Amino acid sequence: MSTLLIKGGTVVSTTGRVEADVLVDGEHVVALIAPGTEPFGPVTADTTIDATGKFVLPGGVDAHTHMEMPFGGTNASDTFETGTRAAAWGGTTTIIDFAVQYAGQSVMEQYALWHEKAGGNCAIDYGFHQILSDVQDESLVAMDELVHEGVTSFKLFMAYKGVLLSDDGQILRAFQKGAENGALMMMHAENGAVIDVLVQQALAENHTTPYYHGISRPWQAEEEATHRAIMIADIAGAPLYVVHVSAKQAVEQIAAARDRGSNVFGETCPQYLYLSLEEQLAAVSEQWGDLEGAKWVCSTPLRSRHEGHQHHLWQSLRTNDIQMVSTDHCPFCMKEQKEMGRGDFSKIPNGIGSVEHRMDLMYQGVVTGQITLERFVELTSTTPARMFGLYGRKGVIAPGADADIVIYDPAGHTSIGMGKTHHMNMDYSAWEGFEIDGHVDIVLSRGTVIVDERGYVGRAGHGQYVKRGLSQYLI
Ligand code: URP
Ligand code: ZN
Ligand code: ZN
C-alpha cells in the first residue's frame, strides 16, 4: 500500500478548522498530525502534496442524481461514466443515484438494471436510492431486500400520473414499511392532480412557453403536498426527507414538523438558491427564442425572486430548517431533448445538470457570507453522509475514513460555462457566466488522485458501489 501526506493545509470539518497534515495509507486516512510535531518520529510518505494556503475538505457527497434516467420521453444525457467524471472535476467523490421502478415494472429487476448501468463505469463511489411508483405487495417485500443490499432510502412521487405517481394509500403502505425496516422515505412533494389541470388550462390559453412550466406548478401545490407527506409520515411513524424543496412555504412546513420533534428533513439544490422564474424560465435568446427558458425547466420549478423564496432558502440553510444541498442532477441537451417542448412546455424533459458545480456554487455562498465554511462542509458532505448512512466512511476527514479529499484553493478562481469549466454531457450550461472565488485543485477518491493540475486523471471503474447503513441523522 502506498502512503500519501497532504501537508500544510487547513482541514475543515463541521465544527471548525485545524492546521494539520493528513496521512493517507492506501485508501484510508490514518492520521491527522499537528504541523511541526513528530509524535512517532519523522512522518514520511511515498508522495507528498503541498496544501499550503488551501482548504482540505471531505469529498462532496451528492445524494440526488439521475444518471441516464429514462424520463420525459428521452434519457438524461449523462451516463454514469460522463456524469461521475464531471462530478469528480467539481470535487464530488460520492453520488447516490436513483434506481427507478416505473408503474408496472419489478422493483428488483430495475435495481439490478441500475447496477448494470453503473458497474465498471464510475469515476467515484456511488450508492443507490430506489424509486417506487405503483406500490404493490411485491414492492414492500423488495423494500426489505433492498435495505439488506444497502439501499436504505426510497423515493415516492406525488406527481407524474401514470409514470411515477403513487396515490396516498400507496404512500402510506410504503411509509409503514419504512417505519418497520428503518428506511428513510423520500418524497417528491407536488400536488400532481392540481398541476395537471393547470398545465392543460395554460396550454388551452396558448400559454406554451417555459415560463408557464413555473406558473402551472405554484408554491401552493408544493406546500400542500409537503404538508400531506408530513402527515402521512406521521401516521406511519416513518422518517421523511423532502427532496428538491424550492418554495419558502414548503420550508415552513418542514420547520414546523421539526419543531414538533418529527424526523422530517429537507434538501434544496443550487438552482433554487441562485436562479428564478423571472430571470431563467422567462429568458429569451437569439439562438433559442422563447425556448431559452427550457434550459431551466425542472420540478419543483424555479420560484419567483419577487416572492423571496431564494432569500428564505439561504436563511433556512443557516438555521438548519433545511439540512443539505444536493443537485438533483438530471441533464438534458437543448438539441433534440429540451427542444421537444417547443410550442408546448409540458413536453420539455424536466431536469437541470449541476453535478459538476455544486461544491463551487455552495462555496460561493461562503464567499458572499451566506453560510460559514464549516456549514458548507456540513451541507455538501457531512450531513449527506449522515443522512444516508455513509458517515465514518464518507463525509469526514478522520482516521479510518475513506481518503475522499478535496484540496480547495480559496485564492483560486473558477469561471463556469461552455469551453471553460464544463464536463457534463450537455450542449449548454445552466450556470453559464457564474464566477466562483475559489478552485478545486486536487481531488482524491479512496486515496487515489483523480483530479489535479493535469485535469481529470481518474478512470472509469475506479468508483465502487457503497452499501449504505440506516440514516445516522435521526432524532
Ligand atoms: O426536474 C426534475 N427534478 N427531474 C428529475 C426527476 C425528479 O423529480 O427528481
Ligand atoms: Zn423529484
Ligand atoms: Zn430528482
Side-chain angles (χ1 to χ4, degrees):
M1 288 263 206
S2 65
T3 53
L4 170 75
L5 187 65
I6 303 169
K7 266 185 91 67
T10 302
V11 179
V12 188
S13 72
T14 60
T15 51
R17 33 193 118 169
V18 287
E19 308 303 311
D21 300 340
V22 180
L23 184 62
V24 174
D25 188 4
E27 299 197 338
H28 300 108
V29 174
V30 289
L32 268 66
I33 305 159
T37 62
E38 294 183 352
F40 308 105
V43 179
T44 55
D46 302 321
T47 320
T48 300
I49 292 174
D50 180 10
T52 307
K54 315 272 168 81
F55 294 133
V56 181
L57 310 171
V61 179
D62 189 342
H64 190 153
T65 69
H66 301 280
M67 303 303 172
E68 46 189 297
M69 178 194 186
F71 197 43
T74 182
N75 290 307
S77 58
D78 264 319
T79 62
F80 278 90
E81 182 172 349
T82 63
T84 57
R85 189 166 60 215
W89 272 101
T92 286
T93 52
T94 308
I95 59 163
I96 311 179
D97 201 85
F98 287 84
V100 190
Q101 179 248 346
Y102 294 98
Q105 293 178 332
S106 146
V107 176
M108 292 310 290
E109 278 176 24
Q110 288 302 107
Y111 168 66
L113 180 60
W114 251 256
H115 269 292
E116 270 174 44
K117 293 185 199 207
N121 291 320
C122 291
I124 56 170
D125 288 353
Y126 60 97
F128 293 125
H129 314 280
Q130 179 70 50
I131 287 175
L132 306 173
S133 52
D134 56 339
V135 180
Q136 308 293 337
D137 290 346
E138 178 236 347
S139 320
L140 303 177
V141 175
M143 283 175 73
D144 282 338
E145 281 181 57
L146 285 169
V147 167
H148 287 114
E149 292 275 324
V151 178
T152 53
S153 41
F154 297 87
K155 181 180 177 190
L156 292 103
F157 286 73
M158 293 171 136
Y160 302 116
K161 190 173 181 187
V163 186
L164 289 166
L165 178 123
S166 303
D167 66 33
D168 290 353
Q170 292 173 328
I171 291 169
L172 177 65
R173 292 189 77 207
F175 279 16
Q176 287 169 333
K177 176 53 81 177
E180 189 187 303
N181 69 15
L184 182 56
M185 304 311 296
M186 308 170 77
M187 185 54 76
H188 177 121
E190 288 188 295
N191 185 320
V194 162
I195 287 167
D196 290 346
V197 170
L198 293 176
V199 167
Q200 289 318 314
Q201 289 174 344
L203 293 173
E205 287 168 29
N206 212 22
H207 291 147
T208 60
T209 62
Y211 175 72
Y212 289 94
H213 170 78
I215 296 299
S216 60
R217 304 180 95 92
W219 60 260
Q220 292 91 336
E222 185 181 344
E223 180 182 10
E224 183 280 324
T226 303
H227 180 256
R228 186 158 32 105
I230 290 169
M231 290 298 110
I232 298 173
D234 206 39
I235 293 166
L240 174 69
Y241 175 97
V242 184
V243 296
H244 48 55
V245 174
S246 66
K248 64 181 180 186
Q249 295 83 356
V251 175
E252 280 158 11
Q253 291 296 335
I254 292 165
R258 292 173 59 71
D259 288 348
R260 292 193 296 270
S262 300
N263 269 311
V264 173
F265 312 102
E267 150 206 280
T268 193
C269 312
Q271 51 269 32
Y272 305 122
L273 294 163
Y274 283 104
L275 310 178
S276 73
L277 170 75
E278 297 90 349
E279 291 146 300
Q280 274 73 37
L281 283 176
V284 177
S285 70
E286 215 170 280
Q287 184 182 10
W288 295 105
D290 59 16
L291 189 65
E292 176 73 8
K295 291 177 177 176
W296 299 280
V297 163
C298 60
S299 297
T300 58
L302 303 187
R303 300 277 174 210
S304 166
R305 195 176 295 283
H306 168 71
E307 290 171 357
H309 301 280
Q310 296 78 359
H311 175 79
H312 195 91
L313 282 169
W314 278 114
Q315 179 167 307
S316 71
L317 292 181
R318 289 189 289 275
T319 57
N320 207 36
D321 286 335
I322 294 289
Q323 291 71 43
M324 48 183 273
V325 177
S326 312
T327 55
D328 192 9
H329 178 76
C330 191
F332 298 101
C333 291
M334 280 297 276
K335 280 229 175 328
E336 291 175 18
Q337 295 196 299
K338 292 278 187 181
E339 71 179 352
M340 293 193 300
R342 196 187 289 282
D344 180 349
F345 68 83
S346 71
K347 294 197 165 54
I348 300 168
N350 286 199
I352 289 185
S354 308
V355 76
E356 184 174 351
H357 304 308
R358 182 185 64 124
M359 298 294 279
D360 279 324
L361 289 165
M362 294 313 298
Y363 180 75
Q364 193 60 18
V366 177
V367 173
T368 57
Q370 295 280 11
I371 50 173
T372 64
L373 184 64
E374 289 77 8
R375 184 66 176 153
F376 159 74
V377 165
E378 192 164 26
L379 292 167
T380 58
S381 178
T382 309
T383 298
R386 290 179 65 198
M387 189 69 76
F388 292 109
L390 289 169
Y391 186 74
R393 189 169 164 191
K394 309 291 186 191
V396 64
I397 298 175
D402 284 356
D404 289 0
I405 295 173
V406 176
I407 300 181
Y408 199 83
D409 184 2
H413 189 85
T414 306
S415 296
I416 303 182
M418 302 302 284
K420 292 180 272 186
T421 312
H422 181 94
H423 301 91
M424 299 172 287
N425 187 31
M426 300 169 71
D427 61 3
Y428 75 98
S429 171
W431 301 98
E432 191 69 48
F434 272 69
E435 300 290 335
I436 308 296
D437 298 305
H439 188 262
V440 173
D441 278 7
I442 298 177
V443 180
L444 275 82
S445 165
R446 296 194 332 275
T448 299
V449 173
I450 58 170
V451 173
D452 65 12
E453 68 286 351
R454 296 165 292 173
Y456 173 72
V457 291
R459 66 173 176 85
H462 165 83
Q464 292 179 351
Y465 173 66
V466 281
K467 241 178 150 168
R468 295 182 293 114
L470 299 181
S471 177
Q472 297 149 302
Y473 203 81
L474 305 189
I475 50 175

